Amino acid sequence: SKLMNALTARQLAATLGKTAPHISTYAVCPGFCRTSLGRHVSFPLYKKIMFAPIMLMIQRTCVQGSQNIIHATLEAKETMQSGSMYRDGEVANDETDFLDSLDEDLPKKLWDLSEKLLGKK
């Protein structure tokens, strides 16, 4: 999920900041993109007809969504904040504010749980 991705990027940035400060980590939100992920989900035809115009208005294309990933990859490190979540080429303020409101140990707890589940600890 987006939350887990953001928490992992934040913890990875904190961990690498001590041992490898030349490495940066970012979480990226491509937005609500039009893909073929739901191609096997069956909806009645009337629902497809009813929702298609709305979805076409609010969904991004895959190219538009990928621009966020490309931005985080190509942008100069000096202009980016390691451990932050980006959307539309800038820090996603709503998501960052939400992350800041959570327990400050939560990224470390998620990291430790992930290591335990992977058999690393």
Side-chain angles (χ1 to χ4, degrees), residues 20-32:
H22 59 285
I23 299 175
S24 300
T25 64
Y26 313 107
V28 180
C29 175
F32 183 40

Side-chain angles (χ1 to χ4, degrees), residues 4-41:
M4 300 304 172
N5 190 8
L7 291 170
T8 301
R10 189 171 273 198
Q11 180 59 36
L12 188 56
T15 302
L16 291 175
K18 299 171 191 168
T19 59
H22 59 285
I23 299 175
S24 300
T25 64
Y26 313 107
V28 180
C29 175
F32 183 40
C33 296
R34 194 171 27 249
T35 67
S36 60
L37 287 175
R39 66 186 172 274
H40 298 296
V41 177

Side-chain angles (χ1 to χ4, degrees), residues 44-92:
L45 181 61
Y46 76 92
K47 285 186 179 181
K48 288 181 182 180
I49 293 171
M50 188 171 63
F51 287 112
I54 296 168
M55 298 305 256
L56 288 172
M57 288 189 315
I58 63 173
Q59 287 181 317
R60 296 175 178 204
T61 66
C62 293
V63 171
Q64 291 170 322
S66 67
Q67 293 300 313
N68 291 307
I69 298 166
I70 293 168
H71 172 78
T73 304
L74 299 178
E75 187 65 25
K77 178 182 172 181
E78 296 77 26
T79 64
M80 306 281 282
Q81 298 172 9
S82 185
S84 294
M85 172 168 264
Y86 283 84
R87 181 179 49 209
D88 298 329
E90 55 189 38
V91 174

Side-chain angles (χ1 to χ4, degrees), residues 108-121:
K108 176 76 170 121
K109 290 175 183 175
L110 175 63
W111 188 270
D112 290 343
L113 176 62
S114 297
E115 284 187 329
K116 182 179 175 185
L117 291 172
L118 293 171
K120 301 286 181 182
K121 261 191 174 177

